[in-house]
Amino acid sequence: MTSGHVAAFWADEEARLLDPARPHVVRDSKTPSGAVPISALRGPVISDALTRTFRAHGLDVRFVYTIDDYDPMDSQSMREKAGMAEHMGKPLCTIPSPDPSVAPDFAEYHAARFIALFAGLGITPEFYRMRDLYRSGALDKQIDLVLRNAEAIRAIHKRIANVDHEAGWLPISVICENCGRIGTTLATDYDGNTVAYVCRLDYVEWAQGCGHGGRISPFKGNSKLLWNEQWCAQWDHFGVTYEEGGKDLLTAGGSRDRSNEIYREVFRREPPLGLAHEFFLFGGKKMATSKDIGAKATDLVAIYPPELTRFLMLRTHPKRHIEFDPAGMTLPRLMDEYDRCADDYLRDHMTDFAKTWRLSQVSPDPSPPPAYRARFGTVANWLQIPSITPEKEAGREKAAALDDRELRDLHVRIELARQWLDRWAPEEAKFSVSQTVPQIEFTKDQRRYLVEIKELVGKVRDPEEMQNQLYEYAKKAGLVNEEGKPRRDAFAAIYLAFIGKPIGPRAGMLLTSLEPEFVRRRLDAVAIP
RNA sequence: GGGCCAGUAGCUCAGCGGUAGAGCAGGGGACUCUUAAUCCCUUGGCCGAGAGUUCGAAUCUCUCCUGGCUCACCA
């Protein structure tokens, strides 16, 4: 290895930062409070790709994922939903399930969904629910440590983030014994066994406490550490050595800085390494704000094949933002690029593109891509021509029958292309027979040609034969160039007459796939000025 | 105000110290059947601006400009 900076694949660069002599724990987490938009998958996909890469480097790695189901319900949008207002401020895991037949409580309802979603994407960490960690007492040691150092922590908050908590403040939230809320309580005065607390009516804006107060043990699930301190407690509990995160958290003076400082000073340990990833922007916006955008983003995960979702997250360096808009030519471009990476993989596993392709697969140890893959845009064209059977057409293109894997791959593309044509394809990419007669000025030659081919309609049924006849008729009609070949405007006349655009699918197929009576009427209509 | 990211061919981007690249779009051609597809060829860039380091900078350093995101309450 030479001196100086060597540009390497980003995941390999991260792997080199880790000490190979010791075991490692990668961590990520999520609050189960709603549907997962596609943008929220960037973090988990990156963490998973890093875990796979670390293992490939021979490192001993666990991938731990915590479900923050002890967090208080604070979502403004939930507050407006019927029956939810009374639950504001309660731990997510004590709020009723939207559908008890699916999951027993609100948190589990959403957690079950994203666990399944992750599994479908090949992301399979060890899941831990915060309710279990707290109630079992697994974090009691860390809670005691935090409470005994509350003053030092308060000073760190003041110094790093310029947040001034009142004197006596403790960085935990007690669950109110009277109303069950966790977001509304202020705790003080730790004596080694219990804390004093008050459930304040106006402690936070998004929920109202009940005014109850008393003393209670903060252990065995009676309380929850605040965000920064809970972070440290989990690092300590699991021995986390690597945790990537969004730049909203990893910014200077931000949340991660505070936690790192607390971890060093109070827990006397070195905080995990981890890169900060840029955001995944949706049409220029961060999403979630707009329900419309958020909903679309959730749908996408169901529509895109899992490897394409992973690819979308991994092909861009984590430190660069992804500007994503599913409309227009985005999908064909994405698929083409995916295919280019697959080709790279077939040639050489060690290039950056090849690594990206491999990490995009659901399986950590995938079989190579099929050698024949129909191009996405082509498949979309096939679907728009009634006389074409994609499987047959693909076989013709490959010049051999497709094997099982190639067929499966084709069918995935067919389904995706249907969605694309239906939702996102620009008009130029679509061709359909216009129902009204296009207002086009045809030349005299073109009109004569259109009249003459009328006698073929209904008589010639075979697309190939029709194609040949159209060619011959063009010569007969004198629509030829110097070499005696038909000119472009011959076939363009057909397309303009039926599709309204000068290009389209093979004319022979187009005309034989339509009702003869309809074809004759249309030819009459356009040929008569 | 702090932080991060971007500014390279018409578009989307790759390259990150050694004679400017890809895909798409545009132009031309081949397949003695147009279009599409496929294949071949091709046009096209003072690499945001300025200064510095270097034998050499799109690449490193500094300053600036433009755009985007984000943190400054909670999680």
Side-chain angles (χ1 to χ4, degrees):
Chain A
M1 189 88 22
T2 54
S3 63
H5 177 76
V6 178
F9 189 57
W10 58 269
D12 293 330
E13 284 195 323
E14 294 302 299
R16 287 208 194 94
L17 300 175
L18 300 179
D19 177 1
R22 52 159 304 178
H24 290 277
V25 177
V26 175
R27 195 197 86 105
D28 196 355
S29 67
K30 175 150 191 58
T31 305
S33 56
V36 184
I38 196 167
S39 59
L41 288 171
R42 193 173 192 186
V45 170
I46 289 172
S47 288
D48 180 69
L50 285 170
T51 301
R52 291 184 185 187
T53 303
F54 295 167
R55 287 184 180 141
H57 279 250
L59 296 164
D60 173 11
V61 188
R62 285 172 70 197
F63 181 14
V64 163
Y65 204 99
T66 61
I67 297 165
D68 296 341
D69 58 2
Y70 230 44
D71 285 5
M73 165 62 79
D74 63 356
S75 155
Q76 192 57 43
S77 57
M78 278 298 161
R79 193 181 184 176
E80 287 150 12
K81 281 200 178 156
M84 284 312 279
E86 60 169 307
H87 298 302
M88 295 302 295
K90 291 184 185 173
L92 294 167
C93 64
T94 66
I95 294 172
S97 172
D99 184 352
S101 71
V102 173
D105 59 75
F106 184 87
E108 200 49 33
Y109 176 83
H110 291 294
R113 293 185 149 202
F114 75 67
I115 290 172
L117 173 66
F118 283 13
L121 289 167
I123 306 169
T124 54
E126 303 166 32
F127 286 103
Y128 294 91
R129 287 162 184 77
M130 290 313 291
R131 73 175 93 169
D132 296 332
L133 291 177
Y134 279 117
R135 288 170 178 167
S136 68
L139 300 178
D140 283 353
K141 193 181 75 181
Q142 286 80 9
I143 291 173
D144 174 64
L145 181 68
V146 164
L147 292 177
R148 279 190 286 109
N149 290 279
E151 266 310 301
I153 291 170
R154 198 164 75 92
I156 293 170
H157 279 261
K158 173 99 175 107
R159 175 159 46 89
I160 308 271
N162 201 26
V163 178
D164 213 351
H165 293 288
E166 52 193 280
W169 166 88
L170 296 176
I172 60 168
S173 300
V174 169
I175 299 179
C176 176
E177 296 160 280
N178 180 52
C179 71
R181 289 193 176 78
I182 194 170
T184 52
T185 59
L186 173 66
T188 52
D189 187 33
Y190 179 54
D191 64 9
N193 290 307
T194 61
V195 295
Y197 78 94
V198 185
C199 182
R200 289 194 176 175
L201 281 89
D202 59 350
Y203 191 55
V204 290
E205 283 180 15
W206 36 269
Q208 194 177 28
C210 67
H212 183 265
R215 291 199 72 89
I216 191 172
S217 160
F219 303 119
K220 293 280 184 189
N222 289 339
S223 78
K224 168 195 170 311
L225 291 163
L226 294 186
W227 169 252
N228 289 282
E229 293 70 29
Q230 173 173 293
W231 212 342
C232 294
Q234 292 177 71
W235 289 343
D236 189 50
H237 176 72
F238 290 109
V240 176
T241 54
Y242 192 95
E243 179 166 343
E244 74 90 45
K247 70 168 180 181
D248 53 337
L249 301 179
L250 300 219
T251 191
S255 201
R256 181 71 171 262
D257 267 8
R258 254 173 287 156
S259 290
N260 284 351
E261 203 53 28
I262 294 167
Y263 202 52
R264 285 196 189 94
E265 211 173 291
V266 175
F267 288 76
R268 305 280 170 193
R269 297 183 75 170
E270 205 34 45
L273 298 171
L275 58 78
H277 71 252
E278 265 282 351
F279 278 130
F280 182 101
L281 304 175
F282 209 84
K285 298 224 172 66
K286 200 203 156 193
M287 74 185 28
T289 44
S290 158
K291 279 181 183 171
D292 193 35
I293 289 172
K296 277 189 210 151
T298 313
D299 287 352
L300 268 184
V301 187
I303 295 167
Y304 276 26
E307 55 276 8
L308 197 61
T309 299
R310 290 183 67 108
F311 182 71
L312 174 61
M313 301 298 162
L314 295 174
R315 69 168 171 156
T316 305
H317 190 289
K319 294 202 60 105
R320 296 191 163 205
H321 72 250
I322 299 174
E323 186 88 45
F324 182 75
D325 183 345
M329 295 303 285
T330 297
L331 192 46
R333 286 213 182 104
L334 188 63
M335 282 297 290
D336 282 352
E337 202 173 327
Y338 177 80
D339 282 337
R340 238 172 280 137
C341 289
D343 286 335
D344 239 44
Y345 186 78
L346 287 171
R347 279 191 296 271
D348 174 4
H349 287 19
M350 296 314 283
T351 68
D352 288 6
F353 288 149
K355 286 173 180 173
T356 302
W357 183 87
R358 184 185 174 94
L359 288 171
S360 297
Q361 304 310 301
V362 172
S363 164
D365 189 20
S367 2
Y372 170 78
R373 302 177 307 274
R375 191 173 174 185
F376 184 78
T378 309
V379 174
N381 283 340
W382 291 344
L383 291 177
Q384 296 180 82
I385 305 166
S387 55
I388 281 187
T389 311
E391 289 83 354
K392 237 173 78 184
E393 198 64 21
R396 183 185 307 181
E397 195 176 72
K398 186 198 169 190
L402 269 57
D403 65 32
D404 285 353
R405 290 184 52 234
E406 289 167 338
L407 271 176
R408 270 203 304 279
D409 182 76
L410 177 64
H411 289 143
V412 167
R413 286 163 195 255
I414 288 172
E415 266 321 297
L416 191 58
R418 277 194 220 288
Q419 296 281 354
W420 179 68
L421 289 167
D422 187 43
R423 292 165 185 256
W424 301 305
E427 284 310 309
E428 310 89 77
K430 295 194 224 182
F431 37 81
S432 58
V433 175
S434 24
Q435 291 308 304
T436 56
V437 180
Q439 295 301 306
I440 309 277
E441 287 282 323
F442 290 104
T443 65
K444 231 175 80 182
D445 287 344
Q446 284 179 318
R447 281 205 302 272
R448 192 171 63 246
Y449 178 56
L450 291 173
V451 170
E452 284 172 7
I453 63 174
K454 213 178 84 176
E455 64 186 56
L456 294 170
V457 178
K459 203 174 83 188
V460 180
R461 297 285 187 160
D462 180 57
E464 287 300 311
E465 179 57 21
M466 177 63 93
Q467 186 73 21
N468 289 331
Q469 289 296 327
L470 289 173
Y471 187 76
E472 293 306 319
Y473 271 62
K475 284 196 212 164
K476 230 163 61 183
L479 285 159
V480 291
N481 59 18
E482 311 81 62
E483 297 167 31
K485 287 185 183 178
R487 292 201 308 263
R488 294 184 166 207
D489 57 345
F491 283 84
I494 297 174
Y495 297 124
L496 286 167
F498 286 89
I499 300 172
K501 290 184 287 198
I503 59 165
R506 282 177 80 89
M509 290 178 176
L510 178 66
L511 293 192
T512 50
S513 67
L514 295 168
E515 279 294 315
E517 189 47 41
F518 173 82
V519 176
R520 279 192 286 264
R521 269 207 312 275
R522 176 62 56 91
L523 289 173
D524 282 337
V526 293
I528 297 159

